[in-house]
Amino acid sequence: MRTQVAIIGGGPAGLLLSQLLHKAGVASVVLERRSREYVLSRIRAGVLETGLVNLMHEAGIAERMDREGFIHDGTLIANGNDQFRIDFKELTGSHVMVYGQTEVTRDLYEARDAAGATVMHECSGVKPHDLTTDAPYVTFFHEGAVHRLDCDFIAGCDGFHGPCRQEIPLSVRREFEKVYPFGWLGVLSETPPVDNELIYSNSERGFALCSMRNANLSRYYIQCQLSDTPDDWTDDAFWDELRRRIPEEAADRLVTGPSIEKSIAPLRSFVCEPMQWGRMFLCGDAAHIVPPTGAKGLNTAASDVNYLWRALVAWYNDGERGGIDTYSETALARIWKAERFSWWMTTLLHRLPEQSEFDIRMQDADIAYLQHSTAAQTAMAENYVGLPY
Ligand code: PHB
């Protein structure tokens, strides 16, 4: 087989890249390790920056999002019973879109199917070759046979555990990591959200987040121990704990019900430098991870796809190689800012095991400054809605 761009990974980053390239007349093949059902069963965050919303319009997959997504002009921050609002619209003129990552992925699959794209599922042993030559290729197993896919470029959209990042020699690769000593327990329930905006809450008992998917589908999270398992938490125990961690007036309004999904995610910050090696480019979780506070996971993947897609199209259409050569540098400049923001939001709002009374006062002061300073609110809002590409 031969294509122009071999895309390893059929999550939202790989599919979005493939769809954007297709719109610009560039061919690609997507290789995914899992089944489509598996990819679509993963529940992820649901807050899209304007940059991603714009990319979805360019990719021609925005119709359902425009119809079913919710524009949020602000968010609520709570510290104990004290609560205030950050008004994105007033501070930045922009907003975010609440629309689940799973729905973005579903819309992308539909668009790729409609265009007759090659998206191969359940590919194993995927390995990129000859990355520093003009003729890279990928080998893999699919339905019992060995395949070879020749290409001009390889996009590594294969997630944190994927094979692509490992192809960057250790002599040039640097990895930066911070592991947080707690996790997030998330619950999805068919109940009306407690508020029409998200509530990020710091409390004595730890962090809580009230989010949503639609008028009758809520997504809630509480900070938990890394050693906890979802089975340790009955629905009742989860709701009781959530109620104790959000302002009383919100707790009084909270509508509870059976959970339809319950899972625990660890929190990690991670960046790999560089994000390219020869003719291979990393996008999304393959190169970087953010803790979910601030919902930057999918958004940072989209920002990589934005730079890579434009660079590849400039190469194919105008023979211009500047964007290709500087991809890593350009992508990383924005990634590090999103890393900083996610780390700051996480540090601001969680209780840490080793936290001293002084550390807690620092958090209180940081939150109070945010509450009362327009400059601090503008900085938060500007990062939350997404820095420009
Ligand atoms: C979510 O709705 O799943 C969500 C929203 C905001 C976050 C993280 C997760 O910061």
Side-chain angles (χ1 to χ4, degrees):
M1 292 198 297
R2 175 163 178 92
T3 190
Q4 290 176 301
V5 182
I7 299 177
I8 303 180
L15 294 169
L16 180 61
L17 178 63
S18 159
Q19 176 69 8
L20 286 164
L21 289 172
H22 162 73
K23 287 273 160 185
V26 177
S28 64
V29 166
V30 177
L31 307 177
E32 164 61 39
R33 190 164 71 91
R34 303 285 196 158
S35 68
R36 180 183 293 212
E37 293 67 43
Y38 180 89
V39 175
L40 287 174
S41 70
R42 295 185 292 208
I43 311 259
R44 293 287 189 270
V47 179
L48 315 186
E49 295 177 347
T50 311
L52 171 51
V53 168
N54 293 343
L55 279 180
M56 288 182 57
H57 279 270
E58 287 202 64
I61 56 146
E63 199 196 311
R64 194 161 68 97
M65 174 191 69
D66 285 342
R67 211 172 48 235
E68 297 178 10
F70 295 86
I71 287 177
H72 281 208
D73 287 330
T75 193
L76 300 164
I77 307 278
N79 194 14
N81 271 322
D82 217 9
Q83 181 177 295
F84 58 97
R85 181 167 183 265
I86 309 275
D87 190 327
F88 305 145
K89 194 173 175 192
E90 181 158 324
L91 295 159
T92 69
S94 194
H95 53 251
V96 290
M97 172 75 84
V98 170
Y99 188 66
Q101 172 171 332
T102 315
E103 305 312 313
V104 173
T105 311
R106 199 185 302 282
D107 296 343
L108 279 161
Y109 273 130
E110 269 176 29
R112 297 285 51 220
D113 286 349
T118 310
V119 180
M120 299 175 75
H121 283 273
E122 295 176 85
C123 299
S124 60
V126 175
K127 178 154 176 63
H129 300 268
D130 289 3
L131 300 174
T132 52
T133 73
D134 287 350
Y137 64 97
V138 183
T139 52
F140 58 98
F141 295 98
H142 184 62
E143 292 176 352
V146 182
H147 295 260
R148 173 180 167 138
L149 174 61
D150 287 286
C151 56
D152 302 324
F153 298 101
I154 295 173
C157 308
D158 51 344
F160 183 68
H161 298 287
C164 289
R165 184 175 73 252
Q166 311 304 333
E167 294 296 325
I168 305 179
L170 283 170
S171 55
V172 292
R173 178 160 35 114
R174 289 195 69 189
E175 298 186 344
F176 304 83
E177 181 172 48
K178 182 175 177 67
V179 175
Y180 301 86
F182 45 80
W184 273 24
L185 169 64
V187 158
L188 192 65
S189 75
E190 283 167 330
T191 50
V194 70
D195 201 282
N196 49 21
E197 292 185 330
L198 273 65
I199 307 175
Y200 287 90
S201 187
N202 183 336
S203 84
E204 271 175 19
R205 301 179 64 93
F207 172 78
L209 169 61
C210 307
S211 182
M212 66 201 71
R213 292 295 176 270
N214 61 48
N216 198 39
L217 193 56
S218 300
R219 182 71 167 156
Y220 294 105
Y221 299 92
I222 55 173
Q223 173 184 354
C224 66
Q225 305 270 351
L226 272 176
S227 53
D228 287 1
T229 67
D231 292 340
D232 295 337
W233 287 88
T234 62
D235 287 355
D236 283 344
F238 177 85
W239 294 121
D240 285 346
E241 188 58 33
L242 178 66
R243 257 191 232 100
R244 294 190 191 109
R245 295 188 188 192
I246 59 178
E248 265 169 42
E249 61 83 27
D252 290 344
R253 275 185 286 123
L254 183 71
V255 181
T256 63
S259 63
I260 54 172
E261 195 262 0
K262 197 187 277 162
S263 54
I264 292 186
L267 276 75
R268 178 201 303 268
S269 296
F270 173 87
V271 179
C272 165
E273 292 184 349
M275 284 174 58
Q276 70 190 91
W277 180 246
R279 286 186 169 233
M280 180 189 74
F281 307 91
L282 303 179
C283 288
D285 289 0
H288 43 75
I289 299 285
V290 285
T293 334
K296 292 296 178 215
L298 176 61
N299 291 302
T300 47
S303 122
D304 297 343
V305 167
N306 169 70
Y307 296 123
L308 183 56
W309 158 62
R310 288 183 200 285
L312 290 169
V313 170
W315 161 283
Y316 281 110
N317 291 352
D318 310 317
E320 158 83 57
R321 63 173 300 152
I324 296 280
D325 290 342
T326 56
Y327 168 72
S328 178
E329 201 183 313
T330 312
L332 280 168
R334 191 175 184 281
I335 289 307
W336 275 116
K337 294 182 193 124
E339 288 284 339
R340 185 208 65 84
F341 179 66
S342 305
W343 159 84
W344 172 75
M345 283 274 283
T346 303
T347 315
L348 185 72
L349 298 170
H350 290 76
R351 290 289 148 141
L352 290 126
E354 305 286 296
Q355 212 165 20
S356 67
E357 288 297 313
F358 179 85
D359 295 333
I360 293 173
R361 286 289 189 278
M362 287 298 98
Q363 263 188 347
D364 288 342
D366 211 348
I367 298 173
Y369 179 55
L370 184 61
Q371 180 168 7
H372 299 293
S373 156
T374 308
Q377 291 197 2
T378 305
M380 190 280 183
E382 174 168 87
N383 280 277
Y384 197 91
V385 300
L387 297 174
Y389 284 164

